[in-house]
Amino acid sequence: MKNSEDWKGAAKKQQNKIEAWRLSYLSVEELLCLQLLGYSPKQLYEDMESERYSLKETASMSIRELDKAKRILDRQTKAGVITIPYHEEAYPHHFRNLCQDAPLLVHVLGNKDLLNREDNVAIIGARAADKDGLDMAYGLAKQMGEQGHIVISGLALGCDTAAHRGCLDAGGQTIAVVASGLDITHPKVNKSLQDEIIAKGGTILSEHPFGVKANPTRLVARCRMQVVLTQSVIVAQCPIISGTMYAVRFAQTYSGDKFGLRRQIYAVEYGTMNELNSGNKFLLDYQLVLPIKPRQRTELDGFDCLVVN
C-alpha cells in the first residue's frame, strides 16, 4: 500500500467481505462441511460474495459431510472447545491480517480472550536445541511471564517447550498454536504441558477440527498463525534448514504497510557458531533480524513492541 488512502480502501473492502459472510447465513456446521468437502479458505473467501447461496446449497446437499461436521462440533463442544468462524466479532482480529490465508474456523481450548491481546511475544526455535538454546527460550519467556505478558509458541519439543515452561514458571499465561485437532497432542509427551497451560489460564489453538493429525505441511502452515498474533518474534535457536525459518519468512511476508504494522524479528546472537544455531547466524549476518545477546533484558514498551536492554 502506497499511502493511507490505499490502506483505508483495502480495509473497507475487507470489511465488506466480512459483512458478506455475515449475510450468507452459512453456519459453523456448513463451513466445516465445506472444508471436509475440500474447499480451501482461499476458494471460499473468493466465492463468498458471489456464490454464497450455491455454497449453502452445496453444504445442505452433502448429507454425509454435514452430518460428520455436526458430530465433530458436538464432540468438541463436550470437550470444552470453542469454534469461532471468520465472520464473528469474537474471531481473533490478528488473523484478519492473513487475508485469504486466514483460517475459516479457529478451534480454541482454554482462555480465548488471550487471542486478542496485544502484549505478546512469539518465542520459537528448533526441536533439536542444545542447552544454550533451551536456556535462552526459557529465560526470555520467563521475563515476559514475569512482566504479565503473553508468550506464544507451538508446543513442539525443544525451544517451544522451554518457552511455554519459562512463562508458566513465572506465573504467566501462554498460547500454544498447534497443527492437529485439539483431541490430539503432538507430540504426545507434551500432554501434561498442554494440560498445565490450560489449567493456568492459557490457550491451545488450532485451525483443524478433531481427528486431524499433524503432518509437515500443517506444521509449516501453523507458523503463519504464530507470528501474526504478535508484533515481536524471537528465534531462540535454529539450524539454517528448519521449520523455524518458515516462521521467519511468514513474519516477513505478513508485515509492512499493507498489513498495518511492521513486525520486529529478533534472533539470539551466540558467541560460538555451530550447526544448531546456524540459522540464527544466517539471519543476523544478512541483517534479516535484530540481535539479542545472552543476559540482555527484554521488555515491551508502551506500544507493545519488544525493547532489548
Side-chain angles (χ1 to χ4, degrees), residues 229-271:
L229 280 170
T230 178
Q231 295 186 58
S232 303
V233 178
I234 300 175
V235 177
Q237 186 185 65
C238 74
I240 195 167
I241 299 176
S242 64
T244 303
M245 297 297 273
Y246 284 103
V248 172
R249 190 177 304 169
F250 282 127
Q252 293 168 330
T253 299
Y254 300 109
S255 182
D257 293 339
K258 179 178 179 181
F259 300 95
L261 58 86
R262 187 169 296 280
R263 286 187 170 78
Q264 300 172 297
I265 312 172
Y266 288 82
V268 176
E269 183 176 8
Y270 293 94

mmCIF file of all heavy atoms in Angstrom, residues 229-271:
data_model
loop_
_atom_site.group_PDB
_atom_site.id
_atom_site.type_symbol
_atom_site.label_atom_id
_atom_site.label_comp_id
_atom_site.label_asym_id
_atom_site.label_seq_id
_atom_site.Cartn_x
_atom_site.Cartn_y
_atom_site.Cartn_z
ATOM 1 N N LEU A 229 0.007 -13.326 15.342
ATOM 2 C CA LEU A 229 -0.635 -12.972 16.610
ATOM 3 C C LEU A 229 0.131 -11.897 17.372
ATOM 4 O O LEU A 229 -0.362 -11.392 18.381
ATOM 5 C CB LEU A 229 -0.765 -14.208 17.505
ATOM 6 C CG LEU A 229 -1.923 -15.175 17.215
ATOM 7 C CD1 LEU A 229 -1.757 -16.450 18.025
ATOM 8 C CD2 LEU A 229 -3.266 -14.521 17.507
ATOM 9 N N THR A 230 1.332 -11.547 16.918
ATOM 10 C CA THR A 230 2.194 -10.666 17.690
ATOM 11 C C THR A 230 2.942 -9.687 16.805
ATOM 12 O O THR A 230 3.065 -9.888 15.591
ATOM 13 C CB THR A 230 3.221 -11.504 18.490
ATOM 14 O OG1 THR A 230 4.086 -10.629 19.215
ATOM 15 C CG2 THR A 230 4.063 -12.360 17.561
ATOM 16 N N GLN A 231 3.461 -8.625 17.424
ATOM 17 C CA GLN A 231 4.335 -7.696 16.718
ATOM 18 C C GLN A 231 5.799 -8.105 16.833
ATOM 19 O O GLN A 231 6.638 -7.585 16.103
ATOM 20 C CB GLN A 231 4.180 -6.284 17.291
ATOM 21 C CG GLN A 231 2.808 -5.659 17.083
ATOM 22 C CD GLN A 231 2.789 -4.220 17.547
ATOM 23 O OE1 GLN A 231 3.553 -3.399 17.086
ATOM 24 N NE2 GLN A 231 1.901 -3.914 18.484
ATOM 25 N N SER A 232 6.115 -9.011 17.759
ATOM 26 C CA SER A 232 7.508 -9.331 18.057
ATOM 27 C C SER A 232 7.737 -10.841 18.044
ATOM 28 O O SER A 232 7.029 -11.584 18.732
ATOM 29 C CB SER A 232 7.905 -8.773 19.426
ATOM 30 O OG SER A 232 7.689 -7.367 19.480
ATOM 31 N N VAL A 233 8.715 -11.269 17.260
ATOM 32 C CA VAL A 233 9.060 -12.684 17.128
ATOM 33 C C VAL A 233 10.525 -12.860 17.503
ATOM 34 O O VAL A 233 11.383 -12.117 17.028
ATOM 35 C CB VAL A 233 8.830 -13.175 15.685
ATOM 36 C CG1 VAL A 233 9.251 -14.641 15.539
ATOM 37 C CG2 VAL A 233 7.376 -12.975 15.269
ATOM 38 N N ILE A 234 10.802 -13.840 18.362
ATOM 39 C CA ILE A 234 12.176 -14.129 18.772
ATOM 40 C C ILE A 234 12.532 -15.550 18.357
ATOM 41 O O ILE A 234 11.837 -16.503 18.713
ATOM 42 C CB ILE A 234 12.359 -13.998 20.295
ATOM 43 C CG1 ILE A 234 12.021 -12.579 20.767
ATOM 44 C CG2 ILE A 234 13.786 -14.353 20.688
ATOM 45 C CD1 ILE A 234 12.062 -12.423 22.283
ATOM 46 N N VAL A 235 13.619 -15.687 17.610
ATOM 47 C CA VAL A 235 14.175 -17.002 17.279
ATOM 48 C C VAL A 235 15.196 -17.343 18.350
ATOM 49 O O VAL A 235 16.256 -16.711 18.441
ATOM 50 C CB VAL A 235 14.836 -16.989 15.891
ATOM 51 C CG1 VAL A 235 15.479 -18.346 15.600
ATOM 52 C CG2 VAL A 235 13.810 -16.637 14.818
ATOM 53 N N ALA A 236 14.895 -18.328 19.167
ATOM 54 C CA ALA A 236 15.805 -18.706 20.249
ATOM 55 C C ALA A 236 17.028 -19.443 19.707
ATOM 56 O O ALA A 236 18.164 -19.097 20.023
ATOM 57 C CB ALA A 236 15.078 -19.573 21.271
ATOM 58 N N GLN A 237 16.789 -20.444 18.879
ATOM 59 C CA GLN A 237 17.897 -21.183 18.269
ATOM 60 C C GLN A 237 17.349 -22.083 17.168
ATOM 61 O O GLN A 237 16.334 -22.762 17.374
ATOM 62 C CB GLN A 237 18.626 -22.041 19.301
ATOM 63 C CG GLN A 237 19.880 -22.721 18.772
ATOM 64 C CD GLN A 237 20.505 -23.644 19.791
ATOM 65 O OE1 GLN A 237 19.909 -24.639 20.178
ATOM 66 N NE2 GLN A 237 21.715 -23.320 20.241
ATOM 67 N N CYS A 238 18.024 -22.083 16.018
ATOM 68 C CA CYS A 238 17.595 -22.992 14.952
ATOM 69 C C CYS A 238 18.705 -23.194 13.933
ATOM 70 O O CYS A 238 19.524 -22.301 13.706
ATOM 71 C CB CYS A 238 16.333 -22.477 14.258
ATOM 72 S SG CYS A 238 16.600 -21.074 13.152
ATOM 73 N N PRO A 239 18.756 -24.375 13.311
ATOM 74 C CA PRO A 239 19.657 -24.588 12.178
ATOM 75 C C PRO A 239 19.176 -23.780 10.974
ATOM 76 O O PRO A 239 18.031 -23.317 10.925
ATOM 77 C CB PRO A 239 19.542 -26.092 11.907
ATOM 78 C CG PRO A 239 18.905 -26.672 13.119
ATOM 79 C CD PRO A 239 18.040 -25.593 13.684
ATOM 80 N N ILE A 240 20.036 -23.658 9.986
ATOM 81 C CA ILE A 240 19.672 -22.878 8.808
ATOM 82 C C ILE A 240 18.556 -23.562 8.011
ATOM 83 O O ILE A 240 17.775 -22.900 7.326
ATOM 84 C CB ILE A 240 20.919 -22.619 7.934
ATOM 85 C CG1 ILE A 240 20.631 -21.515 6.928
ATOM 86 C CG2 ILE A 240 21.387 -23.903 7.266
ATOM 87 C CD1 ILE A 240 21.874 -20.988 6.239
ATOM 88 N N ILE A 241 18.486 -24.881 8.088
ATOM 89 C CA ILE A 241 17.373 -25.619 7.480
ATOM 90 C C ILE A 241 16.488 -26.119 8.614
ATOM 91 O O ILE A 241 16.833 -27.066 9.314
ATOM 92 C CB ILE A 241 17.875 -26.788 6.622
ATOM 93 C CG1 ILE A 241 18.750 -26.274 5.475
ATOM 94 C CG2 ILE A 241 16.688 -27.588 6.067
ATOM 95 C CD1 ILE A 241 19.373 -27.377 4.634
ATOM 96 N N SER A 242 15.365 -25.453 8.825
ATOM 97 C CA SER A 242 14.477 -25.807 9.933
ATOM 98 C C SER A 242 13.111 -25.185 9.711
ATOM 99 O O SER A 242 12.952 -24.233 8.939
ATOM 100 C CB SER A 242 15.052 -25.309 11.264
ATOM 101 O OG SER A 242 15.116 -23.896 11.284
ATOM 102 N N GLY A 243 12.128 -25.721 10.423
ATOM 103 C CA GLY A 243 10.780 -25.161 10.348
ATOM 104 C C GLY A 243 10.715 -23.739 10.858
ATOM 105 O O GLY A 243 9.866 -22.951 10.424
ATOM 106 N N THR A 244 11.610 -23.394 11.781
ATOM 107 C CA THR A 244 11.616 -22.045 12.324
ATOM 108 C C THR A 244 11.863 -21.013 11.239
ATOM 109 O O THR A 244 11.322 -19.896 11.292
ATOM 110 C CB THR A 244 12.693 -21.919 13.415
ATOM 111 O OG1 THR A 244 12.439 -22.897 14.419
ATOM 112 C CG2 THR A 244 12.696 -20.538 14.044
ATOM 113 N N MET A 245 12.650 -21.350 10.241
ATOM 114 C CA MET A 245 12.931 -20.407 9.157
ATOM 115 C C MET A 245 11.671 -20.100 8.348
ATOM 116 O O MET A 245 11.535 -19.011 7.794
ATOM 117 C CB MET A 245 14.026 -20.965 8.255
ATOM 118 C CG MET A 245 15.362 -21.163 8.964
ATOM 119 S SD MET A 245 16.098 -19.623 9.579
ATOM 120 C CE MET A 245 16.986 -19.089 8.130
ATOM 121 N N TYR A 246 10.733 -21.059 8.291
ATOM 122 C CA TYR A 246 9.443 -20.769 7.663
ATOM 123 C C TYR A 246 8.696 -19.703 8.453
ATOM 124 O O TYR A 246 8.062 -18.814 7.880
ATOM 125 C CB TYR A 246 8.590 -22.038 7.577
ATOM 126 C CG TYR A 246 8.994 -23.013 6.509
ATOM 127 C CD1 TYR A 246 9.701 -24.169 6.833
ATOM 128 C CD2 TYR A 246 8.667 -22.799 5.172
ATOM 129 C CE1 TYR A 246 10.074 -25.087 5.868
ATOM 130 C CE2 TYR A 246 9.035 -23.703 4.190
ATOM 131 C CZ TYR A 246 9.739 -24.843 4.542
ATOM 132 O OH TYR A 246 10.119 -25.744 3.566
ATOM 133 N N ALA A 247 8.766 -19.801 9.778
ATOM 134 C CA ALA A 247 8.086 -18.813 10.617
ATOM 135 C C ALA A 247 8.658 -17.419 10.380
ATOM 136 O O ALA A 247 7.916 -16.433 10.309
ATOM 137 C CB ALA A 247 8.218 -19.201 12.092
ATOM 138 N N VAL A 248 9.980 -17.331 10.246
ATOM 139 C CA VAL A 248 10.610 -16.038 9.961
ATOM 140 C C VAL A 248 10.122 -15.501 8.622
ATOM 141 O O VAL A 248 9.804 -14.311 8.489
ATOM 142 C CB VAL A 248 12.145 -16.177 9.958
ATOM 143 C CG1 VAL A 248 12.813 -14.888 9.480
ATOM 144 C CG2 VAL A 248 12.649 -16.549 11.349
ATOM 145 N N ARG A 249 10.032 -16.377 7.640
ATOM 146 C CA ARG A 249 9.559 -15.944 6.321
ATOM 147 C C ARG A 249 8.111 -15.451 6.394
ATOM 148 O O ARG A 249 7.764 -14.438 5.778
ATOM 149 C CB ARG A 249 9.661 -17.109 5.328
ATOM 150 C CG ARG A 249 9.432 -16.707 3.880
ATOM 151 C CD ARG A 249 9.621 -17.900 2.950
ATOM 152 N NE ARG A 249 10.937 -18.497 3.124
ATOM 153 C CZ ARG A 249 11.283 -19.669 2.596
ATOM 154 N NH1 ARG A 249 10.403 -20.373 1.885
ATOM 155 N NH2 ARG A 249 12.501 -20.143 2.786
ATOM 156 N N PHE A 250 7.280 -16.157 7.144
ATOM 157 C CA PHE A 250 5.902 -15.694 7.319
ATOM 158 C C PHE A 250 5.867 -14.326 8.005
ATOM 159 O O PHE A 250 5.079 -13.458 7.640
ATOM 160 C CB PHE A 250 5.092 -16.704 8.130
ATOM 161 C CG PHE A 250 4.636 -17.903 7.360
ATOM 162 C CD1 PHE A 250 4.911 -19.188 7.818
ATOM 163 C CD2 PHE A 250 3.913 -17.773 6.183
ATOM 164 C CE1 PHE A 250 4.484 -20.313 7.121
ATOM 165 C CE2 PHE A 250 3.484 -18.878 5.471
ATOM 166 C CZ PHE A 250 3.773 -20.155 5.945
ATOM 167 N N ALA A 251 6.707 -14.145 9.032
ATOM 168 C CA ALA A 251 6.738 -12.871 9.747
ATOM 169 C C ALA A 251 7.145 -11.739 8.818
ATOM 170 O O ALA A 251 6.641 -10.611 8.932
ATOM 171 C CB ALA A 251 7.704 -12.955 10.928
ATOM 172 N N GLN A 252 8.028 -12.029 7.871
ATOM 173 C CA GLN A 252 8.422 -11.017 6.896
ATOM 174 C C GLN A 252 7.307 -10.760 5.888
ATOM 175 O O GLN A 252 7.071 -9.617 5.479
ATOM 176 C CB GLN A 252 9.690 -11.472 6.165
ATOM 177 C CG GLN A 252 10.924 -11.547 7.051
ATOM 178 C CD GLN A 252 12.074 -12.260 6.366
ATOM 179 O OE1 GLN A 252 11.879 -13.143 5.526
ATOM 180 N NE2 GLN A 252 13.289 -11.885 6.733
ATOM 181 N N THR A 253 6.618 -11.825 5.501
ATOM 182 C CA THR A 253 5.555 -11.706 4.493
ATOM 183 C C THR A 253 4.373 -10.893 5.010
ATOM 184 O O THR A 253 3.880 -9.981 4.329
ATOM 185 C CB THR A 253 5.062 -13.095 4.063
ATOM 186 O OG1 THR A 253 6.147 -13.816 3.493
ATOM 187 C CG2 THR A 253 3.923 -12.989 3.060
ATOM 188 N N TYR A 254 3.924 -11.210 6.221
ATOM 189 C CA TYR A 254 2.755 -10.540 6.779
ATOM 190 C C TYR A 254 3.188 -9.352 7.628
ATOM 191 O O TYR A 254 2.886 -9.246 8.807
ATOM 192 C CB TYR A 254 1.925 -11.515 7.609
ATOM 193 C CG TYR A 254 1.420 -12.679 6.792
ATOM 194 C CD1 TYR A 254 1.934 -13.969 6.971
ATOM 195 C CD2 TYR A 254 0.448 -12.501 5.813
ATOM 196 C CE1 TYR A 254 1.486 -15.034 6.220
ATOM 197 C CE2 TYR A 254 -0.003 -13.565 5.053
ATOM 198 C CZ TYR A 254 0.518 -14.829 5.256
ATOM 199 O OH TYR A 254 0.074 -15.873 4.500
ATOM 200 N N SER A 255 3.910 -8.450 7.003
ATOM 201 C CA SER A 255 4.441 -7.293 7.708
ATOM 202 C C SER A 255 4.485 -6.118 6.753
ATOM 203 O O SER A 255 4.432 -6.285 5.536
ATOM 204 C CB SER A 255 5.842 -7.598 8.247
ATOM 205 O OG SER A 255 6.354 -6.508 8.975
ATOM 206 N N GLY A 256 4.583 -4.915 7.308
ATOM 207 C CA GLY A 256 4.692 -3.723 6.482
ATOM 208 C C GLY A 256 3.386 -2.964 6.364
ATOM 209 O O GLY A 256 2.370 -3.309 6.977
ATOM 210 N N ASP A 257 3.412 -1.934 5.555
ATOM 211 C CA ASP A 257 2.260 -1.022 5.443
ATOM 212 C C ASP A 257 0.996 -1.724 4.994
ATOM 213 O O ASP A 257 -0.108 -1.372 5.396
ATOM 214 C CB ASP A 257 2.585 0.110 4.468
ATOM 215 C CG ASP A 257 3.680 1.032 4.991
ATOM 216 O OD1 ASP A 257 3.890 1.030 6.214
ATOM 217 O OD2 ASP A 257 4.302 1.723 4.178
ATOM 218 N N LYS A 258 1.140 -2.734 4.147
ATOM 219 C CA LYS A 258 -0.033 -3.448 3.639
ATOM 220 C C LYS A 258 -0.832 -4.059 4.773
ATOM 221 O O LYS A 258 -2.055 -4.194 4.697
ATOM 222 C CB LYS A 258 0.406 -4.529 2.655
ATOM 223 C CG LYS A 258 -0.725 -5.352 2.064
ATOM 224 C CD LYS A 258 -0.187 -6.356 1.079
ATOM 225 C CE LYS A 258 -1.326 -7.209 0.496
ATOM 226 N NZ LYS A 258 -0.834 -8.217 -0.453
ATOM 227 N N PHE A 259 -0.151 -4.448 5.857
ATOM 228 C CA PHE A 259 -0.794 -5.124 6.966
ATOM 229 C C PHE A 259 -0.952 -4.237 8.191
ATOM 230 O O PHE A 259 -1.366 -4.693 9.249
ATOM 231 C CB PHE A 259 -0.013 -6.385 7.319
ATOM 232 C CG PHE A 259 0.063 -7.353 6.174
ATOM 233 C CD1 PHE A 259 1.153 -7.343 5.325
ATOM 234 C CD2 PHE A 259 -0.972 -8.221 5.919
ATOM 235 C CE1 PHE A 259 1.211 -8.214 4.249
ATOM 236 C CE2 PHE A 259 -0.929 -9.091 4.846
ATOM 237 C CZ PHE A 259 0.170 -9.088 4.006
ATOM 238 N N GLY A 260 -0.606 -2.953 8.064
ATOM 239 C CA GLY A 260 -0.866 -2.016 9.144
ATOM 240 C C GLY A 260 0.207 -1.957 10.211
ATOM 241 O O GLY A 260 0.134 -1.120 11.102
ATOM 242 N N LEU A 261 1.230 -2.816 10.153
ATOM 243 C CA LEU A 261 2.313 -2.769 11.134
ATOM 244 C C LEU A 261 3.537 -3.479 10.573
ATOM 245 O O LEU A 261 3.464 -4.221 9.604
ATOM 246 C CB LEU A 261 1.905 -3.402 12.469
ATOM 247 C CG LEU A 261 1.444 -4.867 12.450
ATOM 248 C CD1 LEU A 261 2.629 -5.815 12.554
ATOM 249 C CD2 LEU A 261 0.486 -5.132 13.596
ATOM 250 N N ARG A 262 4.665 -3.197 11.174
ATOM 251 C CA ARG A 262 5.903 -3.867 10.796
ATOM 252 C C ARG A 262 6.350 -4.744 11.951
ATOM 253 O O ARG A 262 6.620 -4.252 13.040
ATOM 254 C CB ARG A 262 6.978 -2.846 10.449
ATOM 255 C CG ARG A 262 8.238 -3.489 9.881
ATOM 256 C CD ARG A 262 9.169 -2.445 9.292
ATOM 257 N NE ARG A 262 8.563 -1.772 8.168
ATOM 258 C CZ ARG A 262 8.496 -2.266 6.935
ATOM 259 N NH1 ARG A 262 8.995 -3.461 6.683
ATOM 260 N NH2 ARG A 262 7.928 -1.584 5.964
ATOM 261 N N ARG A 263 6.423 -6.035 11.707
ATOM 262 C CA ARG A 263 6.806 -6.953 12.772
ATOM 263 C C ARG A 263 8.301 -6.879 13.049
ATOM 264 O O ARG A 263 9.108 -6.778 12.127
ATOM 265 C CB ARG A 263 6.405 -8.386 12.415
ATOM 266 C CG ARG A 263 4.910 -8.586 12.542
ATOM 267 C CD ARG A 263 4.438 -9.999 12.371
ATOM 268 N NE ARG A 263 3.044 -10.014 12.765
ATOM 269 C CZ ARG A 263 2.061 -9.567 11.990
ATOM 270 N NH1 ARG A 263 2.334 -9.108 10.792
ATOM 271 N NH2 ARG A 263 0.812 -9.567 12.413
ATOM 272 N N GLN A 264 8.633 -6.929 14.325
ATOM 273 C CA GLN A 264 10.028 -6.990 14.737
ATOM 274 C C GLN A 264 10.434 -8.453 14.848
ATOM 275 O O GLN A 264 9.746 -9.239 15.506
ATOM 276 C CB GLN A 264 10.217 -6.325 16.097
ATOM 277 C CG GLN A 264 9.822 -4.862 16.158
ATOM 278 C CD GLN A 264 9.880 -4.374 17.592
ATOM 279 O OE1 GLN A 264 9.140 -4.856 18.445
ATOM 280 N NE2 GLN A 264 10.769 -3.436 17.864
ATOM 281 N N ILE A 265 11.521 -8.800 14.223
ATOM 282 C CA ILE A 265 12.016 -10.173 14.286
ATOM 283 C C ILE A 265 13.412 -10.132 14.899
ATOM 284 O O ILE A 265 14.284 -9.397 14.435
ATOM 285 C CB ILE A 265 12.067 -10.834 12.899
ATOM 286 C CG1 ILE A 265 10.745 -10.619 12.153
ATOM 287 C CG2 ILE A 265 12.360 -12.326 13.033
ATOM 288 C CD1 ILE A 265 10.791 -11.069 10.695
ATOM 289 N N TYR A 266 13.605 -10.900 15.948
ATOM 290 C CA TYR A 266 14.877 -10.963 16.648
ATOM 291 C C TYR A 266 15.420 -12.382 16.581
ATOM 292 O O TYR A 266 14.660 -13.341 16.427
ATOM 293 C CB TYR A 266 14.707 -10.577 18.122
ATOM 294 C CG TYR A 266 14.443 -9.114 18.368
ATOM 295 C CD1 TYR A 266 13.163 -8.583 18.234
ATOM 296 C CD2 TYR A 266 15.479 -8.261 18.746
ATOM 297 C CE1 TYR A 266 12.918 -7.241 18.468
ATOM 298 C CE2 TYR A 266 15.247 -6.914 18.990
ATOM 299 C CZ TYR A 266 13.958 -6.406 18.848
ATOM 300 O OH TYR A 266 13.717 -5.077 19.073
ATOM 301 N N ALA A 267 16.734 -12.500 16.721
ATOM 302 C CA ALA A 267 17.372 -13.811 16.874
ATOM 303 C C ALA A 267 18.473 -13.687 17.912
ATOM 304 O O ALA A 267 19.164 -12.665 17.992
ATOM 305 C CB ALA A 267 17.945 -14.297 15.549
ATOM 306 N N VAL A 268 18.615 -14.731 18.710
ATOM 307 C CA VAL A 268 19.673 -14.736 19.717
ATOM 308 C C VAL A 268 21.022 -14.835 19.014
ATOM 309 O O VAL A 268 21.214 -15.659 18.110
ATOM 310 C CB VAL A 268 19.490 -15.907 20.696
ATOM 311 C CG1 VAL A 268 20.660 -15.963 21.681
ATOM 312 C CG2 VAL A 268 18.162 -15.768 21.440
ATOM 313 N N GLU A 269 21.951 -13.985 19.430
ATOM 314 C CA GLU A 269 23.300 -13.976 18.862
ATOM 315 C C GLU A 269 24.241 -14.740 19.800
ATOM 316 O O GLU A 269 24.483 -14.317 20.935
ATOM 317 C CB GLU A 269 23.784 -12.538 18.688
ATOM 318 C CG GLU A 269 25.144 -12.421 18.031
ATOM 319 C CD GLU A 269 25.549 -10.983 17.790
ATOM 320 O OE1 GLU A 269 24.844 -10.065 18.278
ATOM 321 O OE2 GLU A 269 26.564 -10.770 17.117
ATOM 322 N N TYR A 270 24.762 -15.870 19.311
ATOM 323 C CA TYR A 270 25.631 -16.713 20.131
ATOM 324 C C TYR A 270 27.100 -16.391 19.841
ATOM 325 O O TYR A 270 27.470 -16.057 18.713
ATOM 326 C CB TYR A 270 25.347 -18.189 19.854
ATOM 327 C CG TYR A 270 23.978 -18.616 20.317
ATOM 328 C CD1 TYR A 270 22.897 -18.604 19.445
ATOM 329 C CD2 TYR A 270 23.751 -19.009 21.631
ATOM 330 C CE1 TYR A 270 21.630 -18.986 19.871
ATOM 331 C CE2 TYR A 270 22.489 -19.387 22.065
ATOM 332 C CZ TYR A 270 21.435 -19.374 21.174
ATOM 333 O OH TYR A 270 20.179 -19.743 21.601
ATOM 334 N N GLY A 271 27.927 -16.524 20.857
ATOM 335 C CA GLY A 271 29.342 -16.236 20.696
ATOM 336 C C GLY A 271 30.057 -17.255 19.834
ATOM 337 O O GLY A 271 30.999 -16.938 19.116
#
